[in-house]
Structures are given as structure tokens and as C-alpha cells.
Amino acid sequence: MSNDYQPGLVSIIMPCYNGQRFIGESIESVMKQSYQDWELLIIDDGSSDDSVALIETYTVKDKRIKLIQQENTGSAAARNHGIKEAQGQYIALLDSDDLWYPEFLTSQIQFMHERKVSVVCSSYERIDENSKVFMKPVQARYKITSKAMEAVDYVACLTGLYDRSKHGKIYLDESLNSLLDDYLFWYQAIKFDGVAYGNQRILAQYRIAGNSMTSNKKKLIKKHYQFYRQKLHLNPVQSLINTLKWGWQGVVKYAR
């Protein structure tokens, strides 16, 4: 693998679509990182609100923050645009309404080096629209094999970190129409080494708006089955079993 990256640099990919309400808080959580060797690539996906103007105020404050604009084509395409431009050894995917604690990057890079793998994730909290913590934290699975990832996505996207120095860049599958594309991204990343590890520290906050988690779960059942069949190429029986496993995991995760 050619050394076409900056060693130690973290490229943070943040898609944004009409995200002006929360994106400032997300950007500031990156700016507060104790690990300072990063670039934040914000890809505005054709926003119609004042997101771009707000983002531009941050690009003036900190030259490590870069704005990329594109027509509205979905979060997968936006993330891929950012990954294409990324200069870092490490790739992180952070949405424009999620947050990191200041020690996120420091802890994750150290944890990755200790475990000698290309992918790590962490435990996280859930916050509401007012940034208040609710429900119980989600504890990361300590050891995540590629086989385990065939059934359930154990990598919360906002907590994942991928070291591309051994295997190069990977991209999201835009044919999934920004649904389960991050699942496939982390599955493919873990397949390189066959295993990833979950930092047990709570290092991030995932924002849940309204009742989206309930309605989305109902819509996703069929999509998950198709995903297992078409993207992971599992047989019908295993696809059904994995869909049931995913459903049960969702019940457990969102139980108050």
C-alpha cells in the first residue's frame, strides 16, 4: 500500500443536509478534541437552510475545517465525496448532529494501537433534541468478528475509526440509497483483519430526534432481509435468522 496519506492525521467526514440546528455543536465537539492532528471535511449535500453560512464561520476560525458543496445526492454520496478528498491515515464518520467527548480521538487511537487492528469503536450515550442524555448508554461489544457483523451492526457509526494504512480507502455503497450503507462500510472494514474491538469507555453521544427509532425499525425489517441476501450474499434461512437477531438487538438497545 503506497503511503498516499499523512501519518497520524484523522480525516473526519461529516455530511450535512439542512443541519444548521445541530451542526455547530457537532463541529465544536471536534474542535475540543485533545488529539489535535485532524481535518474536518464537511460535505454540504445541497442544503436549503443556512447551514453553509454557519459552516463558513467555522472554516474561518479553524483552517482544519473544510467545506465541500455538492448537489443533493444523499449522505452516502456525500460521505464518499469526503473520503475521496481525505488526506488522513484514519477515517472517522461523524454526522452533523452527533457529538464526541474531548478524549474520543486520543482514546480511540491509543486503543487501536494496543489491539493492533484496523477498526475500533466505542460505547456511547444517547441524547435528545435538547442534547440531554436519556435511556441507558449503549455498551460496545468488546470483540467484534466479521462473522458477528453478518448478523448485527455492532459498530455505531459515530464511534468507528478506520486505519487505512494497510488496506487503503473504502467507500460506501451508494446503491443502498443511504440506508444500511454505513453498516456495509464497517462490515467491509472489519473483514480485512477479521476482527475489531470496542472501547468500553463512553466517548460519544448519538442524537435521537422524536419517535424516529420506532417508525424506522418497522420500515427496516424488509430492507434488512434484502440487505443480508443481496449485499452479504447469505442464504434465505440465514438472512431470516439474522433479521430476527437484528430485531431483537434493537429491542434490547432501545429498552428504557
Side-chain angles (χ1 to χ4, degrees), residues 1 89-90 111-121 143-149 155 161-168 170 185-197:
M1 184 59 59
Q89 174 182 352
Y90 305 100
F111 185 70
M112 177 180 281
H113 288 174
E114 290 171 351
R115 299 302 178 274
K116 296 180 174 60
V117 290
S118 297
V119 179
V120 294
C121 59
K143 185 175 183 179
I144 306 167
T145 64
S146 53
K147 184 66 176 178
M149 280 287 287
V155 179
L161 189 68
Y162 170 60
D163 180 354
R164 71 175 177 109
S165 61
K166 289 193 296 182
H167 308 293
I170 55 175
F185 176 90
W186 292 114
Y187 171 75
Q188 292 173 330
I190 291 173
K191 278 193 73 175
F192 289 128
D193 294 334
V195 66
Y197 287 93

Side-chain angles (χ1 to χ4, degrees), residues 102-171:
E103 293 300 311
F104 178 83
L105 289 176
T106 298
S107 182
Q108 290 296 74
I109 291 173
Q110 180 181 349
F111 185 70
M112 177 180 281
H113 288 174
E114 290 171 351
R115 299 302 178 274
K116 296 180 174 60
V117 290
S118 297
V119 179
V120 294
C121 59
S122 78
S123 303
Y124 64 97
E125 294 173 321
R126 289 167 284 188
I127 56 176
D128 62 18
E129 294 177 342
N130 298 311
S131 301
K132 293 183 178 180
V133 175
F134 72 113
M135 293 193 281
K136 294 180 180 179
V138 177
Q139 202 69 28
R141 185 183 178 111
Y142 176 69
K143 185 175 183 179
I144 306 167
T145 64
S146 53
K147 184 66 176 178
M149 280 287 287
E150 287 184 358
V152 177
D153 182 6
Y154 288 106
V155 179
C157 196
L158 74 159
T159 74
L161 189 68
Y162 170 60
D163 180 354
R164 71 175 177 109
S165 61
K166 289 193 296 182
H167 308 293
K169 288 182 178 179
I170 55 175
Y171 293 88

